[in-house]
Amino acid sequence: MEIKNLPKNYDPKEFEERLYSEWLEKGYFKGEVDETKESYSIMLPPPNITGQLHMGHALDHTLQDILVRWKRMDGYAALWQPGTDHASIATEVKVVEKIKKDEGKSKYELGREGFLERAWEWRNIYGRRIVEQMQKLGDSCDWEKERFTMDEGCNKAVTEFFVRLYNDGHIYRGNRIINWCPDCKTSLSDAEVEHEEHGGHFYHVKYQVKDSDKFLEIATTRPETILGDTAVAVNPEDERYKDLIGKNLYLPLVGREIPIIADDYVEMEFGTGAVKITPAHDPNDFEIGQRHNLEKIVVMNEDGTMNSKAGKYEDMDRYECRNVLVKDLDKEGYLVHIKDHTHNVGHCYRCNTIIEPMVSKQWFVKMDELAGPAIDAVKSGQIKLVPERFNKIYYHWLENIRDWCISRQLWWGHRIPAYYCQDCEETVVSKEVPDKCPKCNSANLKQDEDVLDTWFSSALWPFSTLGWPNKTKELDFFYKTDVLVTGYDIIFFWVIRMVFSGLYCMDEIPFKHVLIHGLVRDSQGRKMSKSLGNGIDPLEVIEEYGADALRFTLATGNTPGNDMRFYMERVESARNFANKLWNASRFVFMNLSEDLVENLNRESVEKNLTLADKWVISRVNELAKEVTENMEKFELGMAIQKVYDFTWSEYCDWYIEMVKPRLYGEDLAAKKAALYTLTYVLENVLKLLHPYMPFITEEIYTYLPTVDGSIVLASWPKYKEEDNMKEEEEKMSLIMEAIRNVRNIRAEMNVIPSKKAKLMIVTSEDKKATIEEGKEYFKTLASASEVEILEDATKIPEDAMSTVIQGAQIYIPLDELVDFEKEIERLQKEKSKIEGELKRVSGKLSNQGFLAKAPEALVEEEKSKKGKYEEMMKTVVERLENLQAKLK
């Protein structure tokens, strides 16, 4: 067997890409149905084909990959199902921009078919690009099962879902208030509207009561919607307005008569207690309009300009109309006053345009019956949100959910499977394109022009990707999935919809756990964004530091549900850790040889294992147990921190240093026991690290002569009761504490590491054997020239330095530590330096000009310095006198 060593320098560029290609070639990531194993599955939240991998993706994917690699090693039939999302609005915006830039045309000039050709071209280029970037991160997905939310199978699932919901009475088409984006020119669901605080105004306007000189004063933030008012509402208990209920008002500037109605929705204490009602342009007003059968007057076009119902303001932009209308109200005496007002304003989540509530004919999913089972799934514990505090948000959203507007006025997406008879206006919802109208037999049918909300298809992701609505072996084996890993920002967009869709279609929850992580923020805690220019490209980090360093950084210090700050210093620290592991592994391999590796097993070395060997074997055994427990609780950051601490400190800084004398000695049995322990512990460290740092662990593992195959398929370390050696751990803990204390004394005395010094240890009877066993470690790690164990302190020199540990006192004779003549010389120089500082500060404090002009704080600072130097001088003089006395 040829023993090879690692290259001298750790360079991830030398092996990361090569190893990933090998993993793919050998099919290590395949999620196969294997009835002899327990299944474990995660569905990758499909990234949009509009952009590239960002730091949020990198965090999300790293956490998922950690879980999947761990479970794959732990003997599960693991599937990480990858794919990409067509991202309807976002992609259409990008494609429209590209067509305009490249061809100077609008999508309407190209026509639907021409536009969709360009959109598919976009997907083929950019959809592949993000997959390649995911692979650079090390994602161990089953790429042979990769799906796209608009592939043939997903399209079939979407159609099936829509038709089932429609036939069961959960989908309807109607005129309702929706969120409208004037820029994207499409409806949006409530979840797709982001609210931001804006500085605005309350415009107080008076409406004249018909056949009276009385006026009702109302306040509005959107005066342009006055043109669509169909009532003014007051509370039925409001004494101020009881006599006016049922009477009419004249709409300012328009002159149209509108009624004064009574509704409990109106708060008497808020504003004037009278509220203008615009059912076509406000969600709350819409509900009031439904209760009172009010007319719905839409006064805006799809692009945010005013329509013919706006009269003289027709064709004006909504904000231009606002300005002109307010001036006209003022001119005609209807404007009472304007007050500053800060309020939340809804924006399109894609283009950030202020949305316009508007009545529109759209398709909706009735949520009342679907929301209940989704709430129960979490309340009953079938689905566990991690951390649990997100339950409250989940419940609140579902308990207050409105019907879901699912139609979008776009071309890129799943086209709605609804067909309209052009002769009798019958609506036909069908999986297949109908030949004729079932009502009048006409063949003159036209499909709905709209497409479905992006989230309608991604809601089916956990089961559509496994073949639903067909009954496949993959669907039967891998559904329900085990974990969904996602950011808290899409709980409403995606998580909730997957839950009710899974329960509806599969009669089973889509996942057992939802691991919710926070955002990756910059070093100042700000959200990464293009506008701030503070985004960090994960691909650039990988290029400079390697994927392992990035993954390690994202995993450490990460706790479920919390945002994390990203510092480049942490990436450098992660790379330093990788370098430490690399160099430690090189050291191990350097000491291996064919004859020593042959039959290198526990049985052959058992009787020669030392205290240090047993200690480190016991510690890595305990580490495997703790790390597994942490990972089972999704405490991934805590788990990797423990592996890091053990590897850096206990394995590299302590154990490797402890075994060097045996490795360089002539005792072959002792050397073999040391090498067995070194390789055994290294193997386990690599396995525990692999889910987090897959590349470096695989590269080192392939050089390890005591193992075969890939670490990807290696078995996860298990806790062994026979390796639980607590007695040895306690003994070594005592010795390590003693060594640390001795090192501290030497550091305080500025003793160079190469200078050996005698240790005299007075110990209790019960600790005597442990100290005796640790003699060699004192020599190796505490620069002890010899270790003398005493029963009492009678032989200890008076000037010996000392330290105390449990059951023992350790002394170091001063003359063992210090070269008196050199120390006197050093102290005399130190004394001269302090004298200079004392002279300077005393001069300042005796200078009346300084005392008169300097700020009081500065004077106090100088006085403090003088006191410090005087104390230092006292210590140096005492030390000098003691040393000089010893030389006499």
Side-chain angles (χ1 to χ4, degrees), residues 62-82:
T62 296
L63 298 178
Q64 291 172 77
D65 200 30
I66 289 167
L67 293 169
V68 169
R69 285 182 183 270
W70 163 46
K71 287 295 184 178
R72 191 182 287 123
M73 295 173 75
D74 205 23
Y76 287 76
L79 168 67
W80 188 12
Q81 173 72 56

Side-chain angles (χ1 to χ4, degrees), residues 497-509:
R497 286 166 181 164
M498 280 190 288
V499 174
F500 72 69
S501 301
L503 289 166
Y504 178 76
C505 295
M506 297 292 298
D507 200 27
E508 178 66 275
I509 56 170

Side-chain angles (χ1 to χ4, degrees), residues 172-184:
Y172 66 92
R173 188 174 185 234
N175 279 299
R176 290 187 65 84
I177 195 85
I178 51 97
N179 305 298
W180 182 265
C181 176
D183 188 51
C184 296

Side-chain angles (χ1 to χ4, degrees), residues 360-371:
S360 178
K361 196 167 191 177
Q362 303 287 344
W363 286 92
F364 296 86
V365 175
K366 289 173 67 177
M367 290 306 305
D368 49 359
E369 292 179 21
L370 297 172

Side-chain angles (χ1 to χ4, degrees), residues 128-145:
R128 295 315 312 158
R129 181 180 295 179
I130 198 161
V131 166
E132 289 163 7
Q133 293 168 349
M134 288 152 65
Q135 292 178 343
K136 282 189 178 295
L137 187 64
D139 289 5
S140 64
C141 300
D142 184 346
W143 295 107
E144 291 181 11
K145 290 186 172 66

Side-chain angles (χ1 to χ4, degrees), residues 760-764 788 790-793 796 807-811:
M760 304 174 79
I761 304 177
V762 177
T763 178
S764 59
E788 186 179 356
L790 304 169
E791 291 183 2
D792 56 51
I796 306 297
Q809 297 85 44
I810 303 169
Y811 299 90

